C-alpha cells in the first residue's frame, strides 16, 4: 500500500499551520484500534461500503468491470447506490464504536441503550442541521481547519490566511506609502507563499461570520491595506450624500481607486473614505449585517497586479480592480443593509453591499450586474455555463426583498416594504439575478465609463468623472438618501416602490412585465 | 436550511482535494458528481456523528435544549462546547483526517 497518510498531508487540512497537523498518526490508529476491539471484521473503507451497498442492490462490483477508468477497487457506480440511510447507519455504527469508551463509562453497553443513544444522536444532528447558530460555529471551525482556497474566490488562488507574512519577499516593497500619501499593504494579497494570487482582496474573513464587530474590523483592516478594496466598499456602501461630501460622487469604483492611487491628494482621500466607511459600518441604527451562505453564480470583484515598472513589486498605481464570474457553493457571506428614506417618507432597509467573507471581503453582484468601469477578467474562473445550476425554488417574501438564497439572513425585523404582487415574484434564481440590481440597475449603469472597460490598465484619466456626468444628476428625489451610489438607481427604486404601492392599492396588475419586476427588485421593494 | 450540518462548500473542496490525489471511479461527469456528492454527504454525516457522539447522554440532553431554543446564539453553542470540555476544532480535524486517510487508503486497496 502506498503511504497514503503522507499523501494526505498534502491536503490543506494537513499543512504545517493547520490544526489537523497536530493529529498524530498514532492517534488515528488509536481510534481505529478502539473500533476494532469490538469487531473482528476489519473496518470497511468508504469504497468498500459503497461496494457492499451496490452488491446488496444487485449490481456487479467494479473490479469486474473492464471499463473502470482508473485502477480503483470500487464499482463504477457503487457509492451512488448507497442510500443516505445506509451511509448514515454505517457511519453511526463506526462512530459509536470509536467512542465506546466514553459511553461505556456512562453504562451505555446494552444494545437497547445503544440504540436509544443512536436515536438521540441522530435526532440531535437533525436538529442541528436546522439550527443556524450551531451551523455558524461549525462552519467557522471547519473553514479554519482546512484553510480554504481555490475557486470560490473567482480565480485559481487565494491568499487564504490572516497570518502575517513572514517571508522576506519584497516585504518593504509591497507595503508602504506612495508619494501622494496613499498607504498600502498588499502582502496578504500577494501571499508570500503564493504570490501570484489574483482573485482576492486580502485574507479570509470567514472566521468572523456571524460576528458584526469582528466583521467590521476585518473589512476595515482590508480596506486600510488595499485601496482597491476600499474603493469598491466606498462605491457600494456609501450613499450619494456621503459620496458628495467626499468628492467621489458620480465615480465608479475604478475611478475612486484611481483618485486614491494617482491623484495628488489621494492619501487624504483614502483617509477620509476610511473614516466615513467605518462610521457608517459601526452605526447600528442605520446599518445592518445579515449573514448567509451563498449558493449561486456571482460576479465578484478582486484585485490584480500589472507590473508596469517590471520591478516585481506592487504599488497602488499598479493594482487594479477586476471582476469575474464564479459559482458559490455555500460560501459564507454578509449582506450589508442600510436604512434609507423613500420619496414618500418611509424608511426601508436597502441592500448596500454583498460581501464574500472568504476572499477578503470581495464585493459581489448578481450575474450580469457588475457595474461598468471595471474590466471582467475570467482568469482561471470556472465556466458558469458548464456548471450545473441549482434548482430554482420559489422565493419567499423575505428573499424577494433582500435575499439571494434561502439560507438564514434577511432578518425578520426588516421594515416591510409595500407588498409585491405574487404574480410578479420571481423564482429564486431569477431573484438572484435581479435583487442585487439595487446595487446597480443594468439599464442605468452607475458611474459607467466605457473607456475603462476594455483595458486592464488603471486609468489615469483627468476626466474620470465623466462617467458620473453621463448618468448622475438626474434624480428628482432629492430627499432620498438610499445608499445606492447613484441617484438614477434611487430614482429607479422609488419608482418601483411607487408602482408597487399602486399595484397594492388597486389590486395590482398581475401581468407585471419583466421590466417592472426588475425595477421592483432593484429597489428591494 | 440545506440538508447539511457543515459548510457544504468547504466539505466539497476538501473532497475535491482528495479526488485529485485519488480520482473516484466514474465513467461520466454525472457519475463523478454523484460520487462526489455522496462523499460530501458521508463526511458531513461523520462530522456530525463525531461531534455529537463525543457527548455524554446528559450533554446531549443539554445541547438538545439549546437547539430547541430559537434564540440560541453561536456564542451560546461555543460556550456549551467549551464548558463540555470538547475541542470542536480538534474533533473536526480528527474526523477529516481519518476520513481522508480512509478515502485514499480505500482506493489503494
Amino acid at each position: 500500500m502506498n503511504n497514503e497518510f503522507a499523501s494526505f498531508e498534502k491536503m490543506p487540512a494537513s499543512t504545517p499551520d493547520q490544526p489537523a497537523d497536530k493529529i498524530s498518526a498514532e492517534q488515528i490508529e488509536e481510534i481505529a484500534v478502539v473500533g476494532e476491539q469490538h469487531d473482528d471484521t476489519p473496518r470497511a473503507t468508504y469504497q468498500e461500503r459503497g461496494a457492499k451497498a451496490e452488491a446488496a442492490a444487485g449490481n456487479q462490483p467494479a473490479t469486474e468491470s473492464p471499463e473502470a477508468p482508473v485502477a480503483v477497487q470500487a464499482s463504477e457506480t457503487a457509492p451512488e447506490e448507497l442510500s443516505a440511510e445506509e451511509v448514515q447507519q454505517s457511519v453511526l455504527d463506526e462512530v459509536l464504536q470509536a467512542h465506546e469508551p466514553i459511553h461505556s463509562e456512562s453504562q451505555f453497553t446494552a444494545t437497547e441503550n445503544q440504540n436509544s443513544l443512536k436515536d438521540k444522536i441522530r435526532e440531535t444532528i437533525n436538529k442541528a442541521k436546522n439550527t443556524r447558530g450551531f451551523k455558524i460555529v461549525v462552519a467557522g471551525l471547519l473553514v479554519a481547519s482546512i484553510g480554504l482556497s481555490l475557486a470560490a474566490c473567482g480565480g485559481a488562488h487565494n491568499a487564504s490566511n490572516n497570518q502575517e507574512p513572514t517571508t522576506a519577499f519584497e516585504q518593504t516593497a509591497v507595503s508602504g506609502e506612495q508619494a501622494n500619501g496613499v498607504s498600502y499593504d498588499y502582502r496578504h494579497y500577494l501571499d508570500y507563499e503564493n504570490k501570484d494570487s489574483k482573485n482576492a482582496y486580502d485574507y479570509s474573513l470567514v472566521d468572523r461570520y456571524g460576528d458584526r464587530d469582528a466583521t467590521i474590523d476585518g473589512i476595515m483592516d482590508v480596506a486600510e491595506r488595499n485601496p482597491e478594496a476600499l474603493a469598491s466598499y466606498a462605491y457600494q456602501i456609501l450613499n450619494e450624500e456621503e459620496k458628495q461630501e467626499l468628492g467621489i460622487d458620480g465615480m465608479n469604483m475604478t475611478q475612486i481607486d484611481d483618485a486614491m492611487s494617482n491623484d495628488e491628494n489621494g492619501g487624504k482621500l483614502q483617509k477620509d473614505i476610511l473614516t466615513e466607511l467605518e462610521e457608517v459600518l459601526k452605526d447600528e441604527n442605520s446599518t445592518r449585517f445579515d449573514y448567509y451562505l451563498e449558493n449561486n453564480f456571482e460576479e465578484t470583484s478582486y484585485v490584480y497586479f500589472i507590473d508596469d515598472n517590471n520591478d516585481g513589486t506592487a504599488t497602488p498605481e499598479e493594482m487594479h480592480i477586476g471582476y469575474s464570474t464564479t459559482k458559490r457553493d455555500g460560501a459564507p457571506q454578509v449582506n450589508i443593509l442600510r436604512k434609507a428614506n423613500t420619496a414618500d417618507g418611509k424608511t426601508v432597509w436597502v441592500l448596500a453591499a454583498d460581501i464574500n467573507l472568504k476572499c477578503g471581503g470581495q464585493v459581489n453582484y448578481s450575474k450580469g450586474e457588475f457595474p461598468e468601469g471595471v474590466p471582467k477578467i475570467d482568469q482561471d474562473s470556472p465556466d458558469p455555463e458548464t456548471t450545473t445550476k441549482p434548482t430554482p425554488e420559489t422565493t419567499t417574501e423575505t428573499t424577494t426583498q433582500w435575499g439571494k438564497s434561502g439560507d438564514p439572513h434577511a432578518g425578520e425585523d426588516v421594515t416591510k416594504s409595500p407588498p409585491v404582487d405574487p404574480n410578479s415574484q420571481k423564482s429564486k434564481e431569477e431573484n438572484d439575478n435581479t435583487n442585487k440590481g439595487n446595487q446597480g440597475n443594468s439599464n442605468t449603469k452607475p458611474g459607467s465609463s466605457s473607456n475603462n472597460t476594455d483595458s486592464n490598465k488603471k486609468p489615469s484619466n483627468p476626466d474620470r468623472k465623466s462617467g458620473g456626468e453621463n448618468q448622475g444628476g438626474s434624480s428628482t428625489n432629492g430627499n432620498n438618501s438610499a445608499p445606492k451610489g447613484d441617484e438614477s438607481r434611487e430614482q429607479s427604486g422609488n419608482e418601483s416602490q411607487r408602482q408597487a404601492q399602486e399595484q397594492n392599492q388597486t389590486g395590482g396588475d398581475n401581468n407585471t412585465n419583466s421590466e417592472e419586476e426588475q425595477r421592483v427588485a432593484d429597489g428591494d421593494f | 436550511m440545506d440538508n447539511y450540518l457543515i459548510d457544504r462548500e468547504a466539505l466539497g473542496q476538501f473532497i475535491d482535494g482528495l479526488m485529485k490525489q485519488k480520482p473516484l471511479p466514474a465513467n461520466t461527469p454525472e457519475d463523478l458528481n454523484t460520487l462526489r456528492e455522496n462523499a460530501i454527504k458521508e463526511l458531513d454525516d461523520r462530522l456530525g456523528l463525531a461531534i455529537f457522539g463525543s457527548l455524554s447522554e446528559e450533554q446531549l440532553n443539554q445541547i438538545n435544549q439549546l437547539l430547541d431554543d430559537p434564540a440560541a446564539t453561536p456564542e451560546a453553542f461555543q460556550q456549551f462546547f467549551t464548558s463540555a470540555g470538547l475541542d470542536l476544532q480538534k474533533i473536526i480535524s480528527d474526523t477529516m483526517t481519518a476520513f481522508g486517510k480512509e478515502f485514499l487508503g480505500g482506493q489503494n486497496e
Side-chain angles (χ1 to χ4, degrees):
Chain A
M1 179 184 292
N2 294 336
N3 185 350
E4 65 270 15
F5 188 69
S7 178
F8 178 65
E9 285 185 328
K10 296 174 184 175
M11 295 298 298
S14 300
T15 58
D17 294 330
Q18 299 303 327
D21 195 48
K22 297 175 183 175
I23 317 304
S24 68
E26 290 75 16
Q27 286 176 297
I28 294 168
E29 290 304 321
E30 187 179 338
I31 293 174
V33 168
V34 168
E36 288 170 9
Q37 285 174 343
H38 303 277
D39 185 353
D40 292 333
T41 305
R43 193 173 179 222
T45 66
Y46 170 78
Q47 298 289 346
E48 287 170 344
R49 284 197 303 283
K52 282 181 186 174
E54 182 190 57
N59 296 326
Q60 294 301 315
T63 50
E64 298 176 13
S65 170
E67 290 78 23
V70 292
V72 173
Q73 300 304 308
S75 68
E76 292 177 46
T77 58
E80 66 204 67
E81 300 296 337
L82 200 59
S83 73
E85 286 186 2
E86 286 171 323
V87 169
Q88 194 174 40
Q89 185 59 49
S90 170
V91 175
L92 185 56
D93 288 341
E94 289 183 12
V95 170
L96 284 174
Q97 285 176 2
H99 292 286
E100 181 69 21
I102 295 174
H103 299 303
S104 292
E105 292 171 6
S106 304
Q107 299 178 343
F108 282 96
T109 53
T111 303
E112 186 176 335
N113 284 346
Q114 281 189 335
N115 287 337
S116 171
L117 185 59
K118 284 182 184 178
D119 291 342
K120 186 166 286 185
I121 292 173
R122 202 188 301 276
E123 177 191 351
T124 306
I125 291 172
N126 288 333
K127 272 188 194 175
K129 285 180 178 177
N130 292 298
T131 304
R132 184 187 180 208
F134 178 82
K135 294 182 74 163
I136 287 173
V137 170
V138 179
L141 290 173
L142 183 84
V143 172
S145 286
I146 66 175
L148 287 177
S149 60
L150 304 177
C153 295
H157 304 290
N158 176 30
S160 60
N161 68 68
N162 58 3
Q163 303 298 312
E164 281 296 322
T166 55
T167 309
F169 169 72
E170 295 165 352
Q171 183 166 345
T172 56
V174 293
S175 63
E177 186 174 301
Q178 283 195 160
N180 69 351
V182 163
S183 61
Y184 60 97
D185 181 353
Y186 296 125
R187 287 176 295 167
H188 284 127
Y189 162 72
L190 293 168
D191 186 7
Y192 287 8
E193 292 182 359
N194 185 22
K195 59 187 179 182
D196 60 344
S197 298
K198 292 197 168 34
N199 62 324
Y201 276 174
D202 212 282
Y203 58 86
S204 172
L205 305 178
V206 165
D207 59 352
R208 295 148 198 264
Y209 189 96
D211 185 335
R212 175 183 173 132
D213 290 341
T215 303
I216 293 172
D217 287 345
I219 289 174
M220 292 308 301
D221 188 34
V222 170
E224 288 171 8
R225 293 170 184 273
N226 187 325
E228 289 68 38
L230 175 60
S232 70
Y233 296 148
Y235 173 80
Q236 198 59 35
I237 296 173
L238 302 182
N239 65 32
E240 195 65 14
E241 185 178 332
E242 292 156 351
K243 288 179 179 177
Q244 284 174 355
E245 290 176 2
L246 292 164
I248 57 172
D249 51 306
M251 294 187 191
N252 63 38
M253 60 178 77
T254 294
Q255 292 165 337
I256 296 172
D257 176 35
D258 181 37
M260 285 189 283
S261 299
N262 298 325
D263 282 6
E264 184 179 354
N265 297 318
K268 181 179 185 305
L269 176 61
Q270 180 191 37
K271 291 177 179 60
D272 290 345
I273 295 175
L274 282 168
T275 300
E276 184 69 38
L277 179 65
E278 184 169 29
E279 185 177 321
V280 166
L281 293 177
K282 288 187 173 178
D283 185 353
E284 295 186 7
N285 293 323
S286 67
T287 308
R288 209 180 79 195
F289 286 49
D290 284 350
Y291 295 87
Y292 72 104
L293 302 176
E294 176 63 72
N295 287 295
N296 290 293
F297 287 93
E298 289 187 320
E299 289 181 346
T300 191
S301 55
Y302 60 91
V303 290
Y304 63 99
F305 170 39
I306 295 181
D307 190 6
D308 293 327
N309 300 328
N310 292 316
D311 59 1
T313 64
T315 64
E317 292 176 336
E318 297 171 305
M319 297 290 271
H320 312 267
I321 306 174
Y323 78 96
S324 66
T325 302
T326 191
K327 171 69 170 63
R328 306 294 190 194
D329 196 358
Q333 301 196 344
V334 58
N335 280 334
I336 297 176
L337 295 88
R338 298 193 62 190
K339 272 185 182 172
N341 299 319
T342 61
D344 58 357
K346 292 187 176 180
T347 301
V348 295
W349 285 104
V350 178
L351 179 62
D354 174 19
I355 305 289
N356 183 37
L357 294 173
K358 189 172 292 180
C359 302
Q362 297 167 306
V363 176
N364 300 310
Y365 291 81
S366 291
K367 193 176 174 184
E369 295 292 337
F370 206 93
E372 290 184 6
V374 177
K376 181 175 184 179
I377 305 171
D378 269 326
Q379 181 173 337
D380 297 323
S381 294
D383 179 357
E385 302 306 323
T386 61
T387 308
T388 304
K389 287 191 174 186
T391 304
E393 299 172 9
T394 303
T395 187
T396 64
E397 179 180 345
T398 299
T399 55
T400 298
Q401 283 185 313
W402 307 115
K404 301 184 303 308
S405 77
D407 287 308
H409 66 107
E412 292 72 16
D413 60 334
V414 172
T415 301
K416 296 296 183 184
S417 53
V420 178
D421 188 303
N423 291 331
S424 73
Q425 290 195 351
K426 298 172 282 302
S427 70
K428 179 179 176 183
E429 185 174 9
E430 288 171 322
N431 192 48
D432 289 340
N433 287 335
T434 55
N435 66 356
K436 290 181 197 171
N438 60 9
Q439 300 165 336
N441 187 321
S442 59
N443 295 325
T444 54
K445 295 292 184 183
S448 61
S449 177
S450 59
N451 59 347
N452 293 334
T453 56
D454 295 324
S455 171
N456 291 347
K457 295 290 183 181
K458 178 177 293 186
S460 180
N461 179 3
D463 298 325
R464 63 176 176 274
K465 290 186 181 179
S466 61
E469 291 165 1
N470 287 341
Q471 51 80 39
S474 60
S475 172
T476 57
N477 302 311
N479 294 329
N480 190 334
S481 59
K484 292 297 96 199
D486 74 285
E487 294 175 345
S488 63
R489 278 180 291 161
E490 294 166 12
Q491 185 178 21
S492 174
N494 290 325
E495 175 68 8
S496 302
Q497 184 189 42
R498 184 188 62 74
Q499 290 176 350
Q501 285 176 317
E502 287 178 359
Q503 288 171 16
N504 189 40
Q505 290 165 357
T506 62
D509 178 4
N510 291 347
N511 297 319
T512 306
N513 64 35
S514 59
E515 184 180 355
E516 287 171 333
E517 289 182 11
Q518 173 71 52
R519 288 200 298 262
V520 168
D522 288 346
D524 268 339
F525 299 125
Chain B
M1 291 282 181
D2 58 30
N3 196 31
Y4 292 86
L5 183 66
I6 315 292
D7 178 6
R8 185 177 168 282
E9 181 189 16
L11 297 183
Q13 293 197 22
F14 181 77
I15 296 297
D16 289 344
L18 295 176
M19 290 167 64
K20 284 178 184 174
Q21 296 181 59
K22 294 291 177 69
L24 285 167
N27 289 323
T28 68
E30 291 75 20
D31 287 348
L32 185 64
N33 190 52
T34 302
L35 293 169
R36 178 180 180 274
E37 289 300 316
N38 283 347
I40 292 171
K41 181 64 182 168
E42 170 151 0
L43 180 53
D44 187 71
D45 284 343
R46 285 197 189 195
L47 286 166
L49 291 165
I51 292 169
F52 294 111
S54 299
L55 300 174
S56 68
E57 188 175 33
E58 182 182 349
Q59 288 170 331
L60 271 175
N61 290 334
Q62 290 171 354
I63 198 166
N64 266 297
Q65 289 179 356
L66 202 54
L67 290 167
D68 288 334
D69 179 3
T73 63
E75 291 74 22
F77 286 102
Q78 284 176 324
Q79 178 62 35
F80 169 82
F81 283 104
T82 301
S83 301
L86 290 180
D87 185 346
L88 266 187
Q89 182 86 71
K90 184 176 184 305
I91 291 172
I92 290 171
S93 295
D94 276 355
T95 305
M96 295 181 75
T97 300
F99 181 89
K101 182 182 179 186
E102 185 179 328
F103 186 100
L104 298 176
Q107 293 193 57
N108 266 344
E109 291 170 359

